[in-house]
Amino acid sequence: MRRLNRKKTLNLMKELDAFPKVPESYVETSASGGTVSLIAFTTIAFLTIMEFMVYRDTWMKYEYEVDKDFTSKLRINIDITVAMRCQYVGADVLDLAETMVASADGLIYEPVVFDLTPQQKELQRMLQLIQSRLQEEHSLQDVIFKSAFKSPSTALPPREDNSLQSPDACRIHGHLYVNKVAGNFHITVGKAIPHPRGHAHLAALVSHESYNFSHRIDHLSFGELIPGIINPLDGTEKIASDHNQMFQYFITVVPTKLHTYKISAETHQFSVTERERVINHAAGSHGVSGIFMKYDISSLMVTVTEEHMPFWQFLVRLCGIIGGIFSTTGILHGFGRFVAEIIFCRFRLGSHRSTSVPLPDGHTSNHLPLITDNSTH
């Protein structure tokens, strides 16, 4: 009984076989089939390698939602060098929500030389080249997000030439915290002093001939400091053509949550529009000489996540490639053989029709004579 049950089970399994085997005596090989098989195997190997490279690669996924966090503080990271002595300039933030001057005690004023060393110029030139490419190729931002990691700052390296030149500029660097509302960070002549009706700067003691707001922005970012990220204003250098000149930067800040395989942080992206003009009251160009960065916070928040192709999806795509190539090449090979057989058959028929058979009355017949029993004797 057991043997009978086993035979029934085996017969049932054979009936369910979706891959019937063809005896080798019925298999016919050909040179054209071998050529097509070689092409198919080469294509499969090439596409498999390309698919594996796609599997190893990652991409950035962007999701948008409303930013509901209104109570936290916004951190501003600043590293700006102004071509004026530190005692002549002052930096502060005007908060538009409370119409008062936010404290800028977290900033450091460091006397430096404005001209860069050859090594610093080379790094700045590379940074400006990256900025120009980012404006043309927006997909490069994904590469920057992927390569972001907590490492030493990408700011300019310290001077190594031990220059004896006296400092003629002021490097203002550090960070400060402000409310998450629109504001105005500015650097102008004179130190800022608190005032109940606004704010003011002690600019009366500084002569107009010493005004020079040529500046270099080594770093400006919002939120958590991520050294690997290149921000839109990093590497910017502006040279003033007049003593009384105003530089304006209109910035739109977008809260961003960054989640990659290397880092997870809450930072902020921003876009900027630049404008500069000479202050000339006689010509109707009013204002105050200095550097003004007016920022506004977007109500949308962006979540940037680095994603990877699942392994099961890679297997499905790989099976689709292999099966699709085998099926396609088989169809093309069969179609090619069908066309070739039709052409050869027509050629053979044409050659048979061209043969002539002489008749007894002197005429010729292009048809082949029938083979009968009498003709065989």
Side-chain angles (χ1 to χ4, degrees):
M1 292 294 294
R2 291 182 179 178
R3 292 182 179 179
L4 183 60
N5 292 333
R6 288 180 182 178
K7 289 182 178 180
K8 290 183 178 180
T9 304
L10 290 176
N11 292 331
L12 179 62
M13 295 300 295
K14 289 181 180 180
E15 292 179 358
L16 296 176
D17 188 5
F19 308 97
K21 310 300 184 294
V22 180
E24 294 184 359
S25 58
Y26 296 134
V27 176
E28 180 181 358
T29 59
S30 62
S32 60
T35 304
V36 174
S37 300
L38 182 61
I39 296 175
F41 292 145
T42 305
T43 307
I44 289 174
F46 175 74
L47 293 181
T48 300
I49 295 174
M50 296 299 295
E51 190 66 26
F52 181 72
M53 294 176 64
V54 173
Y55 170 72
R56 291 186 56 189
D57 193 14
T58 59
W59 62 88
M60 308 306 295
K61 180 181 179 182
Y62 294 83
E63 297 179 342
Y64 302 89
E65 59 181 320
V66 177
D67 186 14
K68 301 179 182 179
D69 185 10
F70 303 105
T71 59
S72 62
K73 297 290 184 177
L74 175 64
R75 171 170 169 161
I76 306 179
N77 308 296
I78 301 166
D79 190 352
I80 302 176
T81 302
V82 185
M84 292 181 65
R85 297 185 182 275
C86 291
Q87 61 266 26
Y88 295 157
V89 295
D92 61 336
V93 179
L94 179 62
D95 191 342
L96 298 184
E98 300 179 0
T99 63
M100 62 178 293
V101 178
S103 174
D105 297 334
L107 299 179
I108 301 174
Y109 294 78
E110 179 184 352
V112 294
V113 178
F114 187 77
D115 293 334
L116 298 177
T117 62
Q119 181 183 4
Q120 292 175 332
K121 288 182 179 179
E122 183 65 23
L123 181 59
Q124 186 190 29
R125 191 179 300 109
M126 292 177 59
L127 189 57
Q128 291 175 351
L129 179 60
I130 295 175
Q131 293 285 14
S132 62
R133 292 299 301 273
L134 282 173
Q135 296 177 1
E136 300 174 358
E137 302 289 342
H138 299 286
S139 59
L140 291 179
Q141 186 64 44
D142 293 349
V143 180
I144 294 177
F145 280 150
K146 293 179 185 179
S147 61
F149 59 97
K150 295 182 178 180
S151 64
S153 176
T154 56
L156 293 177
R159 302 182 68 92
E160 299 179 355
D161 55 353
N162 297 324
S163 176
L164 300 178
Q165 181 181 356
S166 59
D168 58 351
C170 183
R171 179 190 174 198
I172 304 174
H173 60 98
H175 65 273
L176 48 91
Y177 292 91
V178 298
N179 296 322
K180 292 184 67 174
V181 292
N184 181 8
F185 171 77
H186 52 274
I187 302 173
T188 186
V189 179
K191 299 298 181 181
I193 57 174
H195 194 274
R197 296 184 179 179
H199 78 292
H201 290 261
L202 293 175
L205 302 179
V206 183
S207 62
H208 288 276
E209 288 74 14
S210 60
Y211 285 16
N212 185 5
F213 283 100
S214 300
H215 61 279
R216 182 176 59 253
I217 303 176
D218 296 327
H219 181 80
L220 179 68
S221 64
F222 297 84
E224 183 179 348
L225 182 61
I226 305 178
I229 299 297
I230 299 178
N231 298 277
L233 287 177
D234 293 353
T236 301
E237 185 176 68
K238 299 290 184 180
I239 303 299
S241 58
D242 192 274
H243 293 290
N244 295 327
Q245 192 159 349
M246 173 189 290
F247 296 92
Q248 292 177 306
Y249 299 92
F250 301 93
I251 300 173
T252 301
V253 183
V254 181
T256 304
K257 292 183 178 180
L258 181 62
H259 301 286
T260 67
Y261 291 105
K262 295 183 179 180
I263 190 173
S264 180
E266 294 186 4
T267 182
H268 292 71
Q269 301 179 83
F270 66 90
S271 60
V272 59
T273 303
E274 304 176 11
R275 183 188 178 191
E276 59 181 83
R277 59 187 175 92
V278 177
I279 302 300
N280 189 347
H281 298 286
S285 179
H286 305 289
V288 179
S289 302
I291 305 168
F292 297 85
M293 298 183 178
K294 299 181 179 181
Y295 59 89
D296 193 5
I297 312 298
S298 175
S299 59
L300 292 179
M301 181 176 63
V302 182
T303 302
V304 184
T305 308
E306 185 178 7
E307 292 192 345
H308 187 273
M309 181 187 297
F311 183 71
W312 65 266
Q313 187 175 354
F314 169 71
L315 291 180
V316 170
R317 291 166 64 99
L318 193 61
C319 292
I321 289 174
I322 297 174
I325 290 177
F326 268 116
S327 300
T328 303
T329 53
I331 293 173
L332 294 177
H333 181 241
F335 180 76
R337 291 189 62 181
F338 176 73
V339 173
E341 288 178 358
I342 292 177
I343 296 174
F344 290 153
C345 286
R346 289 185 177 181
F347 178 76
R348 290 174 181 175
L349 288 176
S351 63
H352 291 326
R353 289 175 181 176
S354 62
T355 59
S356 60
V357 178
L359 296 177
D361 56 357
H363 294 83
T364 58
S365 175
N366 292 329
H367 298 282
L368 291 176
L370 296 176
I371 301 176
T372 61
D373 295 337
N374 296 329
S375 63
T376 58
H377 296 287

